[in-house]
Amino acid sequence: MKQALTALVLCCAALGPAFGQAQPPAAPASTPAATPAPAPAAGGIRGQNIFEVKPEASADPNYANQTNGERMKVQPGNNAPMWRQVGQGVTGHSSLPKSEAPEAGNLIQPFVQYPGSRFTNAGEAWRQVRNDWIIPYGAALLFVVLLALAIFYFTRGPIRLHGQETGRKIERFTPFERATHWSNAIAFVTLAISGIVMAFGKFFLLPWMGATLFGWIAYALKNVHNFVGPLFVVTIVFMVFTFIRDNIPRAMDLKWLARFGGLFGGREVPSHRFNAGEKVVFWGGVLFLGSFVIGSGLFLDKLLPGFVYTRGEMQVAHMVHGIATLLMIAMIMGHIFIGTLGMTGAYKAMRTGYVDETWAKEHHELWYDDIVAGKIPAQRSVPDGSAVPPAARPAIPAEGTPS
């Protein structure tokens, strides 16, 4: 009987772990009689009691510099070293090719400080610059410009002719020049509207349009923006080579700028084919700001060769693109205003290509004088002057003075 009872106890002890029977607590590490736990079978799950690990993790003087492998020995499951490296931008291993995924081994970007941001990881720094500076101050800039133009129009009205039209026309823009200008203008307006919707649409469209419709519109405009962008580049190149000759700065442009062209009273300052204001738009808006807009836009579309296109590079390009675009839009808004509502006859000149003698003499007197003197033909798009209708030729008295 005693032998049978002993065998039953040994059998239960052997089967206990298989049925989840609780094991007696292990003896403290300080007890000399404590026996080490048996080694697990190969391929099994290794368990460890954190209270039995000696020395404790914090007792190691090199605790903060431990590798992930060293930390696993003293604090199993503590991945702090790994996540510390992730936060510091340490590149890990990735099986993806670098040409297709240049930052596959980096989960979190390193810490930087962009102008206007705190010292934080690059993604958060970019978000702070965009949301705290570009979006609010960019919207304020466009609103102030629009408000100023509205105040000027409703208080002063359009700039009108002081003399009577003669009915004799001068060709101001050839068909090629008008085609170049209108293609560039249409591309610019398309990009400006789509960009404004993508940047500010959630503030003034989303609340009353709803998320579904706004999402579809923003998605469509984003694709339109990406495809029209390269076309805008081509039209800018044509604009520069078409109009650069008549936009060369001259000494009398300083006088025009000093008096704002006579906009706020008095006679308009004489100018050649393009006045100083138009030259500022050409050099400052089209050429200078346009270069930043085009360069950053092509970079964001990944159309420039020789770049890896990392997140940091894309963030910098986005900030440059946003700032340059807002400044360019603000400047072109004034140009569009003068060319449409702000000056009588300006829109007709670009639509038909012709202006009246009186218009040319009042707004671009030096250009008109060159035409009267024969330095510039009144009809540039027709090689044979005999084919020009009489109404298209300026009347020049015999003594050589304008009528």
Side-chain angles (χ1 to χ4, degrees):
M1 183 66 179
K2 183 177 180 181
Q3 294 177 348
L5 183 59
T6 302
L8 180 60
V9 171
L10 293 176
C11 180
C12 291
L15 295 178
F19 292 96
Q21 180 177 340
Q23 300 298 312
S30 58
T31 305
T35 57
I45 300 176
R46 178 179 299 176
Q48 193 172 21
N49 190 337
I50 189 62
F51 296 104
E52 297 177 0
V53 177
K54 296 296 179 181
E56 294 182 357
S58 57
D60 189 343
N62 198 36
Y63 171 72
N65 299 322
Q66 287 176 339
T67 65
N68 205 54
E70 293 171 340
R71 184 63 58 86
M72 287 297 295
K73 295 179 181 179
V74 294
Q75 283 189 346
N78 187 339
N79 296 326
M82 181 193 73
W83 289 110
R84 189 180 300 117
Q85 291 180 342
V86 169
Q88 293 172 349
V90 176
T91 302
H93 171 73
S94 173
S95 60
L96 296 175
K98 190 174 183 62
S99 60
E100 298 179 8
E103 292 184 296
N106 288 86
L107 182 62
I108 299 178
Q109 293 178 266
F111 276 46
V112 298
Q113 186 172 12
Y114 295 135
S117 76
R118 299 189 300 272
F119 183 72
T120 180
N121 68 77
E124 173 62 17
W126 165 81
R127 189 194 70 82
Q128 292 175 7
V129 174
R130 180 188 184 275
N131 294 349
D132 297 342
W133 293 92
I134 297 178
I135 294 299
Y137 289 99
L141 173 65
L142 298 184
F143 177 77
V144 168
V145 172
L146 184 62
L147 180 62
L149 295 176
I151 292 175
F152 179 87
Y153 179 77
F154 287 108
T155 57
R156 296 287 303 275
I159 302 173
R160 304 182 185 275
L161 291 177
H162 296 89
Q164 293 294 325
E165 292 189 354
T166 64
R168 294 183 295 270
K169 304 297 182 180
I170 299 174
E171 187 180 33
R172 180 159 175 79
F173 299 108
T174 65
F176 178 79
E177 291 172 341
R178 286 184 285 126
T180 300
H181 177 274
W182 282 115
S183 60
N184 179 258
I186 293 173
F188 176 81
V189 171
T190 301
L191 293 173
I193 293 176
S194 57
I196 288 173
V197 170
M198 287 187 289
F200 308 107
K202 68 177 183 180
F203 301 106
F204 66 93
L205 290 179
L206 181 60
W208 66 270
M209 185 179 291
T212 302
L213 181 57
F214 175 74
W216 279 105
I217 291 178
Y219 177 77
L221 290 178
K222 173 184 176 296
N223 286 279
V224 170
H225 196 93
N226 291 340
F227 281 101
V228 174
L231 298 178
F232 177 70
V233 177
V234 176
T235 62
I236 282 287
V237 174
F238 275 90
M239 283 281 292
V240 171
F241 283 99
T242 300
F243 296 107
I244 191 172
R245 179 180 178 182
D246 291 322
N247 278 283
I248 300 299
R250 303 192 184 193
M252 66 280 297
D253 293 331
L254 297 176
K255 182 178 179 181
W256 194 98
L257 292 173
R259 295 179 52 188
F260 290 96
L263 188 64
F264 299 99
R267 182 172 175 269
E268 187 168 342
V269 179
S271 63
H272 285 275
R273 188 185 179 200
F274 298 122
N275 58 42
E278 293 170 305
K279 292 179 181 180
V280 168
V281 172
F282 179 84
W283 291 102
V286 176
L287 201 57
F288 180 74
L289 291 176
S291 299
F292 284 97
V293 171
I294 289 172
S296 58
L298 292 177
F299 188 92
L300 292 172
D301 275 343
K302 297 184 177 181
L303 296 178
L304 295 180
F307 291 94
V308 183
Y309 295 108
T310 62
R311 286 170 292 177
E313 294 173 342
M314 298 292 276
Q315 289 159 358
V316 173
H318 179 271
M319 291 185 289
V320 171
H321 191 73
I323 295 172
T325 298
L326 289 168
L327 294 175
M328 188 176 184
I329 291 176
M331 182 175 290
I332 299 299
M333 283 173 64
H335 176 72
I336 294 175
F337 170 75
I338 294 295
T340 53
L341 300 175
M343 177 179 289
T344 302
Y347 171 74
K348 187 177 180 180
M350 185 54 70
R351 182 172 61 86
T352 66
Y354 292 91
V355 296
D356 191 83
E357 275 188 356
T358 304
W359 190 96
K361 185 176 181 180
E362 286 194 16
H363 298 305
H364 299 274
E365 185 176 357
L366 299 180
W367 174 61
Y368 175 78
D369 290 342
D370 287 342
I371 294 176
V372 172
K375 297 179 181 179
I376 302 174
Q379 181 74 24
R380 294 180 298 119
S381 62
V382 180
D384 185 7
S386 61
V388 182
R393 302 193 192 104
I396 304 176
E399 62 270 16
T401 58
S403 60

